[in-house]
Amino acid sequence: MTDEQKMFAIARYCQSNIRYEQAYLSGGEFIPNAAPFVFRHRYGDCKDYSTLMVVMARIAGLHPDLALCWRGNGHPFFDGLPVALNQFNHMIVHWQTPGREYWFDGTNPPEAIGVPDEDVVNARALILHTGASSLATIAELPENLASVSGTLQVIEDDLMGALTVRLQGQYAVAFLTIRRWMNNTSMKATLTKWIEKNIASQITIADVSWAVDSTTFVINAACRFRNALWHAGGNVYVRFDKLFDKILPQEDPGLEHNDVFYYPGYARVAVAVVIPGFRSPSHDGEFRWEDRFALPPGPFDERSRSEFLRSYANEAVKAAQTIRLMKKG
C-alpha cells in the first residue's frame, strides 16, 4: 500500500469503529485517553479519535501530528496567544505529503476521509510537534462546490420542475454526518429549510430526496417558483438573482462575530438551468442559464474585507441578469 492508502485505511477504520462518546474518567477533559484504551473500548471524543489515528499511523511508519483548532465559523484567533484555552475547542490530525496537506477529523463520517467540515475553512490550527509546534491555516479544499442544476417548465407566471443540488468537498460533510442520525421526516425538513436559506427563499418544495455519490451529497427537489416571470410589452422576462436569491447574500454580504468577518454561505457555486420551449435572444437553441460564482470564504480582517466586497460586487452583477424569454419557433 502507498502511504496515502495506509493513512486513509487507518482513518476509515477509526471513523467507522469508534463510537463518539465523551468520558473524562481519569485525565480530565483536556487529556486524551491512551490509544490502547480507545482501541479496546471502541469509544472516545475528538481528542481520542485523533490520538488513536496518530498512534496507529506511526506504528505503520507514517508521521502525522495532532492539531488543535476551533470548530465554528467566525471565531476570532490571536496568533500571539496560541495556547489560550478559548482559542481551541476541537482536535484533529494533520498530515503533510509531498503533494498535499491533509486534515483528518475522526468525528466525521467514514465517507469524509481527510476532509474537515466547512466550519473550519481558513481556521487557524496549532500543529503539535515536540519541540517544533507551529500554527497553520486549514485552507479551503479546491474541490469545494455547490452546483445547482435542473429543468423548469413555464406555467403561466411560475416556473415548475426539478432541481438537483450537488455538494462536494467540505460542503458535503455536514450532510454526510446528519443523514446517519436523522429519520426521513426530519431529514426532509432539514433539507427543505437548507434550500430556502442557501438557494432560494421563494421556492415551494413539493418533495425532496437525497443520495450519496462517493463523497458528494446530492439533493433532488420537486419545486415551484411562484411569480418568477413578469410580462412587459408582450415579452416574458426572468431575473435569476430573484429566482436564486440566496446564492449570494442580498443585503449585508457578511457576518461579524467578535470583529471577525465571515462570508455566510457557500463560496463556490455553479448554476445550470434549462427552460424547455424557450430560447434567449442571443441564441436559437434551448434556453440554458449557466454561470459560476466564486467568493473568498473568509474570515477576513479589515484589509481583506474590502477585497471581498469588490469580488462580491462583481459576482452580483452576473447574478442580476434580466433575460427575455422567447418561445421557440
Side-chain angles (χ1 to χ4, degrees):
M1 298 175 73
T2 66
D3 285 352
E4 187 175 74
Q5 288 172 329
K6 291 177 184 178
M7 191 67 210
F8 272 56
I10 290 167
R12 184 174 292 108
Y13 173 84
C14 293
Q15 290 175 227
S16 300
N17 292 279
I18 307 301
R19 183 179 76 255
Y20 185 86
E21 191 75 43
Q22 292 177 306
Y24 313 134
L25 300 179
S26 55
E29 62 181 303
F30 301 115
I31 300 175
N33 288 298
F37 177 92
V38 181
F39 184 81
R40 182 169 63 252
H41 293 282
R42 299 291 196 270
Y43 70 80
D45 63 3
C46 65
K47 60 187 182 294
D48 298 320
Y49 277 99
S50 299
T51 299
L52 180 59
M53 269 193 267
V54 165
V55 169
M56 292 177 71
R58 290 180 179 175
I59 290 171
L62 308 177
H63 301 283
D65 291 301
L66 299 171
L68 295 169
C69 67
W70 183 276
R71 188 164 186 174
N73 290 340
H75 183 72
F77 188 87
F78 304 97
D79 280 19
L81 298 169
V83 296
L85 292 179
N86 62 353
Q87 296 270 71
F88 307 111
N89 67 357
H90 194 44
M91 180 174 278
I92 57 179
V93 174
H94 174 262
W95 187 52
Q96 182 77 51
T97 72
R100 181 164 178 173
E101 186 176 40
Y102 289 100
W103 302 90
F104 295 89
D105 189 335
T107 65
N108 285 348
E111 298 93 341
I113 302 296
V115 180
D117 208 338
E118 56 86 21
D119 64 357
V120 297
V121 167
N122 279 1
R124 296 290 275 164
L126 178 64
I127 300 171
L128 304 177
H129 191 87
T130 303
S133 294
S134 59
L135 288 169
T137 298
I138 305 174
E140 183 178 17
L141 295 179
E143 57 264 35
N144 285 0
L145 182 67
S147 60
V148 182
S149 61
T151 300
L152 299 174
Q153 305 284 344
V154 173
I155 310 293
E156 298 179 346
D157 291 339
D158 300 348
L159 288 172
M160 183 176 180
L163 287 181
T164 296
V165 181
R166 299 179 65 86
L167 300 170
Q168 298 170 211
Q170 289 167 288
Y171 297 170
V173 174
F175 293 102
L176 294 173
T177 303
I178 65 173
R179 76 184 180 95
R180 293 175 167 270
W181 50 265
M182 277 193 177
N183 61 35
N184 283 350
T185 300
S186 297
M187 192 69 178
K188 285 188 176 186
T190 297
L191 294 178
T192 298
K193 290 179 181 178
W194 181 88
I195 291 172
E196 293 170 351
K197 180 181 178 182
N198 294 281
I199 305 295
S201 65
Q202 300 303 312
I203 194 172
T204 300
I205 297 177
D207 192 26
V208 63
S209 61
W210 59 93
V212 176
D213 179 9
S214 183
T215 58
T216 301
F217 191 82
V218 183
I219 307 169
N220 295 299
C223 60
R224 187 165 189 151
F225 296 89
R226 299 194 180 276
N227 300 313
L229 308 174
W230 73 92
H231 305 265
N235 297 314
V236 181
Y237 297 89
V238 63
R239 181 168 162 171
F240 281 92
D241 69 335
K242 301 299 183 184
L243 197 66
F244 299 109
D245 62 315
K246 292 299 184 178
I247 284 181
L248 293 177
Q250 284 182 301
E251 297 174 2
D252 178 7
L255 294 178
E256 289 187 21
H257 301 288
N258 301 319
D259 299 321
V260 175
F261 175 69
Y262 203 99
Y263 173 59
Y266 294 82
R268 299 193 192 123
V269 182
V271 181
V273 175
V274 175
I275 303 179
F278 288 83
R279 64 180 179 86
S280 68
S282 59
H283 65 279
D284 293 330
E286 201 88 82
F287 176 84
R288 185 178 183 89
W289 181 58
E290 290 186 290
D291 223 325
R292 290 179 72 96
F293 305 92
L295 290 168
F300 309 109
D301 55 24
E302 285 303 314
R303 178 190 58 80
S304 54
R305 174 178 181 141
S306 62
E307 295 174 359
F308 167 82
L309 293 174
R310 282 195 294 271
S311 298
Y312 170 77
N314 293 333
E315 298 299 277
V317 169
K318 292 195 301 182
Q321 300 177 74
T322 299
I323 302 175
R324 179 161 60 102
L325 300 180
M326 302 174 64
K327 283 192 175 181
K328 292 180 67 176

